[in-house]
Amino acid sequence: MITVFGSANMDLVAYVPQAPHLGETVSGTEFRTVPGGKGANQAIAAARAGAEVAFVGAVGSDAFGPALRAALDDAGVNTEGLRVVDGPSGIAHIVVEEGGGNSIIVVAGANGTVTGPSARDLEVIAASDALLLQLELPMEAVVAAAVASPAPVILTPAPVVELPDELLDAVALLVCNEHEAAAITGLGVPDRALEALLERVPELVVTLGSKGALYGSRDGSRLWAPAVPVKVVDTTAAGDTFVGALAVARAEGRGPERFLRFASTAAALSVQRAGASTSMPSRHEIDRALEDQPLANP
């Protein structure tokens, strides 16, 4: 089982030919309301990729709260740990350009009320093969969950903030994109950022978009996995799809080459569809795509 301790947001998605500059108004082509949030996205991605998943977080008492819970329930995620608090749910305002790139503004809402896992949450985490964390909850809550977790912690350091040593000391695997790696280390070359981050965590994946992903560990292992070439429609939640699928494959005992290929394939399938949680592939889709792109060393 995989437990996700994280955010649930309603994504308010506007599609435009080109994102507006400051002070500029542009005409959009479409608008959608889609359940999201990095935590909920990773939970749904992991569930669709074949894992039993439990989600711990909070939604508000507004109309978005039941819709966010329903999206998790529909994906087969256990939502017993999803609290309801008075006030608005978290939202993300997303602008998607024709080429698939996006910009995002997140307002925490109910997510900002989470201070840490309850005793019951810790029981669920203790029974898990992995705990997935992100940074859309207050840092004190993320640190509390990481430090208390007997399960291996997989952290996505987004949105990027200064990472306390107490948190990184509890992380088994850090998964970040090249921009996050550069922001954390001050090093713009992914290989160099990877080496610097391995001084703080035992295992690391740096995703490079269309250029693939890098893996490293303190035992000296280094690996580059190519991206799966596809036509991109919308990159929203591609990173969360990657992390959710990677956690599933890793929990199943696959080694780095195989879990990177599994995760990359899931992400490649997701960017060919619009939306966040709505774009995430099923286990059957991932396995079928992997058959067409076999590993060199299965």
Side-chain angles (χ1 to χ4, degrees):
M1 182 177 76
I2 291 171
T3 297
V4 180
F5 181 72
S7 58
N9 296 324
M10 186 59 74
D11 292 346
L12 311 177
V13 189
Y15 295 86
V16 297
Q18 186 172 349
H21 299 292
L22 185 64
E24 181 184 14
T25 299
V26 300
S27 295
T29 57
E30 189 177 355
F31 174 79
R32 297 181 182 180
T33 304
V34 183
K38 297 194 73 63
N41 285 342
Q42 291 183 7
I44 291 172
R48 290 189 177 162
E52 179 185 354
V53 181
F55 182 76
V56 178
V59 294
S61 56
D62 58 0
F64 290 150
L68 291 168
R69 183 183 297 275
L72 289 160
D73 288 338
D74 289 347
V77 176
N78 183 325
T79 57
E80 291 180 8
L82 182 60
R83 309 161 175 77
V84 179
V85 299
D86 287 336
S89 299
I91 66 99
H93 181 274
I94 303 174
V95 177
V96 181
E97 294 187 324
E98 282 184 352
N102 63 66
S103 58
I104 304 174
I105 300 172
V106 176
V107 181
N111 299 304
T113 69
V114 180
T115 57
S118 68
R120 172 57 184 155
D121 297 335
L122 291 175
E123 291 178 6
V124 174
I125 292 169
S128 303
D129 297 300
L131 172 65
L132 271 57
L133 300 174
Q134 321 78 35
L135 300 179
E136 288 184 341
L137 297 182
M139 181 60 77
E140 64 176 301
V142 177
V143 171
V147 170
S149 175
V153 173
I154 299 175
L155 173 66
T156 305
V160 175
V161 296
E162 184 175 352
L163 300 176
D165 290 338
E166 186 180 13
L167 173 59
L168 289 179
D169 288 346
V171 169
L173 172 64
L174 185 71
V175 183
C176 55
N177 64 35
E178 58 187 315
H179 307 294
E180 292 157 357
I184 294 167
T185 63
L187 300 171
V189 179
D191 287 341
R192 293 180 60 196
L194 181 142
E195 297 300 332
L197 284 168
L198 284 174
E199 296 179 4
R200 305 185 71 186
V201 294
E203 278 190 284
L204 175 70
V205 173
V206 180
T207 60
L208 309 173
S210 62
K211 295 175 288 185
L214 297 174
Y215 167 84
S217 69
R218 283 182 181 162
D219 68 6
S221 298
R222 300 293 184 270
L223 177 67
W224 172 75
V228 180
V230 295
K231 181 179 179 180
V232 175
V233 172
D234 183 357
T235 59
T236 305
D240 295 328
T241 302
F242 181 95
V243 174
L246 183 151
V248 174
R250 190 173 186 268
E252 291 175 350
R254 304 188 192 208
E257 183 179 5
R258 297 185 70 202
F259 68 57
L260 285 176
R261 174 56 70 183
F262 187 89
S264 296
T265 299
L269 290 167
S270 77
V271 301
Q272 297 176 70
R273 307 165 182 167
S277 59
T278 52
S279 71
M280 295 171 177
S282 68
R283 178 59 175 260
H284 173 72
E285 291 175 307
I286 299 170
D287 287 342
R288 185 174 61 188
L290 283 169
E291 290 175 1
D292 298 329
Q293 298 158 356
L295 285 165
N297 299 294

